[in-house]
Amino acid sequence: ISFQFTTIDGGNVPEEEILQAQQDLDARTFRQEYLATFEQYAGIIAYAFGDHNYRASPEIQNHTPLIVGMDFNTTPMSAVVMVRTQDGLHAIDDIALHSSNTNEMIEEIRNRYPNNPITAFPDPAGVQRKTSANGNTDIKLLEMAGFTVRYHRAHPLIKDRINAANSLFYRREDGSTKFYIDPKCKHTIKSLKNYSYKEDSQIPLKGEFDHMFDALTYPIEFLFPIKREIAQQPVRRLTAGGLMA
């Protein structure tokens, strides 16, 4: 005999959280996280991405804060430049540098956006990885360049980044979405359209299309994580007289 209980069945998640999750998550992620369904993962990873996500960039001023997701692979060194929207992100530019390093990426970002405040969301591996001759880590180089740097101490699971991304990409019933991308971001769009799972597996296929996806999803998962806050039940203790406190 086997039993299957969903998060909803457990009774520990408030109804308002479930209703909010139905609005915030794409259908597949909601089923997986709240209904305990087994989801098939064959095909394209960014399954919720589509034509509804295309939109020209808003006007960027010198003082406009920018979010930059970065992957430290040397070929290509990848970055996606974004701005915050009311409830999500808008990708306005991307950079792919072949046979490159972190110093060159910093230089290119500053060539394009010399005065904008920048918050970088890099691959957490950069806290140990060193690509400079003077021994500074990739994270230290970003900080020395004047960037605000935010990253998880532990590397986020690829599944968590995929779920967070698709829940940002998906088209809501009113036609809106939490993620837009300027059509000029050709490297990122190519990645989103082609990055896929290995055949008959839940393992992403590494190679040509994963680096820009990684750069994009480090900030997405950090700023818009998929998580459930389970209400804690009060702890009841026995007093000296044997009564519950």
Side-chain angles (χ1 to χ4, degrees), residues 44 46 186-196 208-214:
I44 298 300
K186 298 187 182 302
H187 301 292
T188 307
I189 292 170
K190 185 177 181 180
S191 173
L192 293 173
K193 285 186 172 182
N194 291 278
Y195 190 29
S196 61
E208 180 181 357
F209 304 114
D210 58 312
H211 305 301
M212 201 62 72
F213 183 90
D214 289 344

Side-chain angles (χ1 to χ4, degrees), residues 163-231:
N163 287 343
N166 280 305
S167 290
L168 217 64
F169 297 160
Y170 91 103
R171 183 180 184 273
R172 293 177 286 199
E173 291 184 0
D174 63 0
S176 65
T177 180
K178 293 183 180 181
F179 178 80
Y180 292 104
I181 186 168
D182 192 296
K184 74 177 182 181
C185 299
K186 298 187 182 302
H187 301 292
T188 307
I189 292 170
K190 185 177 181 180
S191 173
L192 293 173
K193 285 186 172 182
N194 291 278
Y195 190 29
S196 61
Y197 293 100
K198 290 184 177 180
E199 186 175 358
D200 297 326
S201 81
Q202 299 180 29
I203 301 173
L205 181 63
K206 292 289 187 179
E208 180 181 357
F209 304 114
D210 58 312
H211 305 301
M212 201 62 72
F213 183 90
D214 289 344
L216 175 67
T217 56
Y218 288 130
I220 287 178
E221 191 278 332
F222 194 102
L223 295 170
F224 305 94
I226 301 298
K227 62 181 180 180
R228 294 193 301 271
E229 298 292 343
I230 304 300

